Amino acid sequence: MARFGVIQIGANARKMLNLDKPALDWCSLGAGLGIKSGRAETSEDFVKLLRAALARTGPFLVEAVMPQSDSSDG
């Protein structure tokens, strides 16, 4: 937004730029495109999925769930 001279992003613009509302099921989206995937909610899950992804041929989507940020700057 800064490239367009926007100094402060309004509430409506922020809503249009966020990917969390509505919540998306990235694994289902990947499956719809024929891509194997897995969801990681812990660092241990992430390591397992990353290893599995690197061990296979072809694409593999890892949905890494991050804790919500309390900051208002998005």
Side-chain angles (χ1 to χ4, degrees):
M1 297 296 283
R3 288 185 182 189
F4 297 105
V6 176
I7 297 170
Q8 186 173 7
I9 299 174
N12 286 336
R14 188 174 304 281
K15 287 177 188 177
M16 289 187 283
L17 295 171
N18 283 341
L19 293 175
D20 63 343
K21 293 179 186 169
L24 297 175
D25 183 340
W26 292 99
C27 291
S28 291
L29 289 170
L33 296 169
I35 299 171
K36 299 274 187 190
S37 62
R39 179 180 168 106
E41 296 189 22
T42 66
S43 56
E44 291 83 10
D45 290 344
F46 180 79
V47 169
K48 287 178 190 175
L49 286 171
L50 183 60
R51 285 186 178 145
L54 294 173
R56 67 185 320 275
T57 302
F60 188 94
L61 183 143
V62 176
E63 179 181 4
V65 180
M66 305 297 293
Q68 287 291 330
S69 171
D70 289 336
S71 88
S72 60
D73 61 357

